[in-house]
Amino acid sequence: MASPPPRVTVLSSDLVTRCRAAQVRDALSYANPDALLLSDPGALVRLRAATPDLVEEFGPLLVPGDANRGDPAHHRIRGVDLVVPTTDEGLAEVEALESAGTVDPSTETYVISDRLDVSVRPTSLEATLSGVTTYRESLAPDALGGSYTHVSTAAPVDYYREWDGLTVAGAGPDADSVATGTGRGGTEIPTLQFHSDGTVCSTAIATTRLGLRALSGVGETTAGRLREAGYADPEAVAEAQPADLLDVSGVGRESAETICDHARALEAGEVVRYGDEYVPDREPVFIDIETDGLTPTVVWLIGVLDREGEETYMSFLNRDPDDPGRAVEAFVSWYAANARGRPVVAYNGLSFDFPTVADHVERHCPEHLDDWESTYTFDPYYWAVRQDNAVFPGRTNKLGDVAAALGWETDDTGLTGAAVGRAYRQWMRERTAEAEPDWERHERYCEDDVRSLAFVYDALTAAGGSSQQRTSSSHSGSATGDDTSQGTLTDF
């Protein structure tokens, strides 16, 4: 298996200032980066003041605005070249790095700087790339033989666009998102993955999910009161009993139980389950779907894991955007013939997978509508979180966070749901060899999601019910009850 791409966590002065030292530690522990990208020299000063022992723990420091660190600084991490020029003269030296063989022209090289800024003219709403003239004059891109992506800390995270031969990606957590409709707005700490083929992916942890605020039911006020009571972090809370937290102002019995349960789940890396509410009693069929976006026009990949008898994994893949129902029809036909009557399990399926499949069956293969509508579907996220039957150990309830907290070792394709959808949309538009997705890589990404779902489901069913029931009056019963309200994607 190929080496995973380098992971680079981005911190700005503002993020470091607004986070407590414990939150910064938590963010870096969560991201486990190979390097830190500090979007401005002030971030380095603040980081050293807040967490001096952590500065050198997470690989090299990439500081585009700090000429004292070498100009340009070069780092090869997991076989990928990262070049960090801090001045125009540093940009001019990139050609020398290529000529000397310091950077490998056969793979993508990432030039990380603060010298390209995306802005918008308010009257016309047209985007411009500020600084590009000087950047080109210094870099002389036409003289370079390799392929380069230019990563700017002055453009928002998730920004990606071609500007007259320059591929520009954003890495600024505080960059103005109004200009581009992207960006984190300084509320999340992003981590970028740089692939050798030029793909840039990002994940992020919200600052509101770090430190004590990672615990369910703990906002900033309650976090402050817990700190005042001597609970510095989730580990300290995990050692307490719910009755102990009743001395904290504003914490009632129900919230004390929730806080303690989540702290214990985080600390132990285990599911905390309440009672013995119903879960499927037959071996399920686990699925995950890939679409062209959150308002899907095509379901182009359905990953299916069938563990009854001899374990089988299947990819129902549709490479033809002009036949949008192909994957759904193939999956439902297989299910009706081979697994009818068995539960179909998808994570957050009530909000996305199940209604999306139903909609596409009705549109593209209505002859199978009765087969799908008679299927018993089960959503572990909805059952555990929305119906209050269990507490997951992740800092968030995203499938990847929950699976990782339980010990799942992911197949690190470096892809995200957003990146997968973006790649297929490009394929739909262009239909060129250059735009065609790496199908094998996308299938691996989907398979990893399906297998991690099965891993979480097994942990949920193995946890059993606790001997002490919840006292919460909001406990809403089994997944087979009358309450069919759905969570939304923003719930987690």
Side-chain angles (χ1 to χ4, degrees):
M1 184 179 297
S3 174
R7 298 170 55 84
V8 179
T9 295
V10 188
L11 292 170
S12 65
S13 293
D14 183 61
L15 281 172
V16 176
T17 299
R18 289 191 293 107
C19 289
R20 295 177 175 272
Q23 291 178 305
V24 175
R25 294 174 185 275
D26 207 13
L28 296 181
S29 175
Y30 170 83
N32 191 27
D34 298 294
L36 295 182
L37 171 56
L38 305 179
S39 64
D40 56 277
L44 178 57
V45 174
R46 289 172 172 78
L47 187 62
R48 281 178 168 156
T51 56
D53 56 324
L54 284 186
V55 170
E56 306 300 339
E57 281 188 25
F58 292 90
L61 298 177
L62 315 179
V63 193
D66 186 0
N68 294 324
R69 307 188 70 81
D71 194 15
H74 168 258
H75 305 276
R76 178 168 290 166
I77 304 175
R78 299 184 183 272
V80 176
D81 291 305
L82 308 178
V83 179
V84 189
T86 60
T87 65
D88 294 339
E89 290 75 15
L91 274 170
E93 291 298 316
V94 173
E95 181 184 1
L97 293 177
E98 183 179 271
S99 298
T102 303
V103 301
D104 182 359
S106 68
T107 61
E108 197 75 6
T109 296
Y110 294 89
V111 180
I112 304 173
S113 76
D114 59 356
R115 311 185 73 75
L116 294 172
D117 187 8
V118 179
S119 58
V120 165
R121 295 188 183 95
T123 54
S124 63
L125 296 182
E126 292 181 352
T128 60
L129 188 64
S130 302
V132 67
T133 300
T134 302
Y135 193 92
R136 284 182 178 280
E137 291 174 350
S138 301
L139 181 68
D142 293 339
L144 299 174
S147 181
Y148 291 80
T149 296
H150 305 274
V151 182
S152 174
T153 57
V157 172
D158 289 339
Y159 179 83
Y160 191 91
R161 180 175 168 180
E162 293 283 340
W163 285 87
D164 192 22
L166 284 183
T167 301
V168 179
D174 303 318
D176 182 11
S177 61
V178 175
T180 60
T182 60
R184 307 288 183 183
T187 62
E188 297 179 326
I189 296 178
T191 296
L192 306 179
Q193 294 176 315
F194 298 116
H195 292 261
S196 59
D197 64 355
T199 302
V200 181
C201 295
S202 71
T203 57
I205 180 70
T207 55
T208 55
R209 302 300 298 170
L210 297 171
L212 286 168
R213 296 200 60 185
L215 301 177
S216 297
V218 176
E220 187 55 42
T221 299
T222 301
R225 290 170 177 169
L226 286 169
R227 284 190 291 268
E228 292 173 359
Y231 301 101
D233 49 39
E235 290 79 5
V237 176
E239 297 176 1
Q241 297 297 320
D244 298 331
L245 300 191
L246 296 179
D247 295 331
V248 178
S249 176
V251 177
R253 180 171 299 278
E254 178 184 331
S255 58
E257 290 178 348
T258 298
I259 293 168
C260 282
D261 286 340
H262 195 191
R264 289 169 184 157
L266 280 173
E267 181 66 12
E270 298 176 352
V271 173
V272 174
R273 183 173 161 189
Y274 308 126
D276 294 304
E277 295 295 341
Y278 174 83
V279 294
D281 57 2
R282 289 192 62 184
E283 177 63 32
V285 172
F286 300 95
I287 73 166
D288 184 64
I289 69 173
E290 303 301 338
T291 71
D292 59 334
L294 294 182
T295 307
T297 64
V298 57
V299 178
W300 57 272
L301 175 59
I302 304 178
V304 178
L305 177 62
D306 181 4
R307 302 188 303 188
E308 187 164 86
E310 184 177 354
E311 180 176 301
T312 303
Y313 180 82
M314 294 159 281
S315 286
F316 294 92
L317 173 65
N318 176 21
R319 306 186 189 201
D320 182 4
D322 293 328
D323 187 8
R326 177 182 294 182
V328 167
E329 182 176 11
F331 162 64
V332 178
S333 297
W334 171 86
Y335 176 80
N338 298 279
R340 184 189 297 273
R342 290 168 53 199
V344 175
V345 174
Y347 200 85
N348 199 42
L350 277 172
S351 286
F352 191 69
D353 301 66
F354 301 148
T356 298
V357 170
D359 177 62
H360 283 67
V361 168
E362 185 174 12
R363 278 195 278 166
H364 303 296
C365 48
E367 66 275 16
H368 293 296
L369 191 57
D370 288 343
D371 293 328
W372 180 251
E373 288 184 340
S374 64
T375 299
Y376 171 53
T377 55
F378 182 80
D379 179 351
Y381 163 77
Y382 178 76
W383 185 89
V385 178
R386 304 292 289 173
Q387 291 192 306
D388 198 27
N389 285 314
V391 175
F392 287 135
R395 286 183 177 84
T396 76
N397 286 314
K398 294 178 180 178
L399 175 60
D401 283 352
V402 174
L406 289 168
W408 176 255
E409 295 185 6
T410 187
D411 179 3
D412 196 352
T413 63
L415 294 174
T416 63
V420 168
R422 185 168 61 243
Y424 199 82
R425 288 194 299 273
Q426 183 178 3
W427 170 239
M428 293 173 71
R429 289 192 307 268
E430 301 179 14
R431 313 291 181 91
T432 63
E434 293 75 17
E436 185 169 8
D438 182 342
W439 302 112
E440 186 275 334
R441 182 178 169 199
H442 286 74
E443 287 182 285
R444 281 175 46 217
Y445 166 79
C446 186
E447 179 175 356
D448 188 64
D449 271 0
V450 176
R451 291 190 180 277
S452 65
L453 161 63
F455 185 77
V456 169
Y457 178 86
D458 289 343
L460 183 65
T461 56
S466 64
S467 58
Q468 184 175 2
Q469 295 288 333
R470 294 272 284 179
T471 61
S472 169
S473 60
S474 65
H475 185 76
S476 52
S478 74
T480 58
D482 294 332
D483 182 2
T484 58
S485 62
Q486 298 176 7
T488 66
L489 291 175
T490 55
D491 286 336
F492 61 105

